[in-house]
Amino acid sequence: ERSFRGYGVPSKCFYSNGPALLPFRVIASSGETPIEPLTDLIHVLETFVLTFSTDVYDFMGWGGVVVLMAIESTAIPLPSEVIMPLAGWRLVLDRGHGIGYVFLAGFWGAVGSLIGSLVEYYVARAGGRPFIEKYGKYVLITQKDLERADRWFQTRGELTVFIARMIPGVRGFISIPAGIARMNVTRFSIFTFIGALPWTLGMAWGGFLLGENYDSIRDVSKPFDIPIIGTVSIIVIWVVWHRIKEVRAESSASNSSAD
């Protein structure tokens, strides 16, 4: 029976053979200790991703890396920060392969990133602009934003895609503005792949080096979960508030022009 130390959760608890629900507790070295609901939820979700990804790798092997990274690249919250280190651990280290297979893991991860990004790109290219032009104000995007994105991707699209593929939280969404701006698909594909490869390779390498010590490292990083979430929440609130002001200002200007 597989389990992840530091979480106290066997993988079978997420499937029909085990309990239907996971208790909102974690097991500490001194016994059971209640924790805050938000922190507990983070641990539950992370453990689910770990067990789900491991089962996919056990079933599909290298194909699982492609599938999971394709899902991650369509803005679905399946973090590559878990997927790729787990590949380096489970598919390379645990199977007795050498360091050369880490490069194979990174390659297939980049292939998956490209596939998922192309799906997102074509969806945005086909319907993104009409949708934004009609409903953009409801998602805080203005006509000026579209024009700015067009100019940006015409002159800096390659560099933007390349860098964005290595930024957590941004990498899964960069295909949307690229598609809406109708960036050249060949250039988009090339820079998506070469931008994703250092990221997937680095993550796989980290999993290969850490191996089963992943749980120990995670125990050290757990106290930072809430401060990080709090900081990100403040930034998001500020950005949303700022964007609401801009959208209202543009709507007022448009109404004045119409009058």
Side-chain angles (χ1 to χ4, degrees):
E1 178 179 301
R2 183 175 65 255
S3 65
F4 294 95
R5 292 180 297 104
Y7 297 91
V9 183
S11 62
K12 73 177 184 179
C13 70
F14 293 102
Y15 302 97
S16 59
N17 292 332
L21 295 174
L22 179 68
F24 279 81
R25 289 179 177 270
V26 295
I27 308 302
S29 58
S30 59
E32 290 193 353
T33 305
I35 62 175
E36 298 179 14
L38 180 57
T39 304
D40 196 23
L41 179 61
I42 293 170
H43 296 162
V44 170
L45 293 175
E46 185 174 4
T47 303
F48 173 77
V49 173
L50 283 166
T51 54
F52 172 72
S53 301
T54 299
D55 285 338
V56 171
Y57 289 155
D58 289 343
F59 178 68
M60 300 182 65
W62 295 113
V65 180
V66 176
V67 170
L68 292 179
M69 286 303 297
I71 294 173
E72 185 265 351
S73 296
T74 56
I76 294 175
L78 194 62
S80 58
E81 294 86 346
V82 174
I83 295 170
M84 290 311 304
L86 200 60
W89 171 14
R90 293 291 185 179
L91 295 179
V92 182
L93 184 63
D94 272 9
R95 299 189 181 186
H97 297 311
I99 193 70
Y101 279 80
V102 174
F103 290 89
L104 184 62
F107 171 79
W108 287 122
V111 169
S113 293
L114 176 58
I115 293 172
S117 296
L118 283 172
V119 171
E120 193 173 56
Y121 168 90
Y122 277 112
V123 170
R125 180 169 179 148
R129 180 172 290 274
F131 178 85
I132 294 299
E133 288 176 346
K134 187 173 183 179
Y135 301 107
K137 64 181 181 180
Y138 299 110
V139 291
L140 306 180
I141 299 176
T142 67
Q143 184 63 36
K144 289 183 178 179
D145 293 327
L146 287 176
E147 296 170 357
R148 191 182 301 122
D150 287 340
R151 293 193 299 269
W152 182 271
F153 276 94
Q154 286 174 2
T155 58
R156 305 180 182 87
E158 293 89 348
L159 181 62
T160 300
V161 170
F162 175 77
I163 294 176
R165 295 307 307 177
M166 294 182 280
I167 302 177
V170 176
R171 48 181 286 108
F173 294 93
I174 190 60
S175 304
I176 297 175
I180 292 175
R182 296 182 176 272
M183 179 181 175
N184 179 274
V185 68
T186 301
R187 298 203 306 269
F188 171 80
S189 300
I190 292 172
F191 283 90
T192 291
F193 183 83
I194 64 176
L197 185 58
W199 177 266
T200 56
L201 179 58
M203 292 290 104
W205 200 309
F208 177 78
L209 295 177
L210 290 175
E212 294 183 356
N213 293 319
Y214 171 89
D215 298 313
S216 300
I217 300 297
R218 188 65 185 94
D219 285 341
V220 174
S221 67
K222 282 178 185 177
F224 299 97
D225 287 345
I226 299 301
I228 291 173
I229 291 175
T231 301
V232 171
S233 298
I234 292 173
I235 294 173
V236 169
I237 291 171
W238 182 87
V239 170
V240 170
W241 174 76
H242 185 70
R243 294 298 300 156
I244 289 174
K245 290 179 61 179
E246 289 186 351
V247 171
R248 286 178 175 174
E250 183 172 296
S251 297
S252 299
S254 299
N255 293 335
S256 299
S257 300
D259 294 338

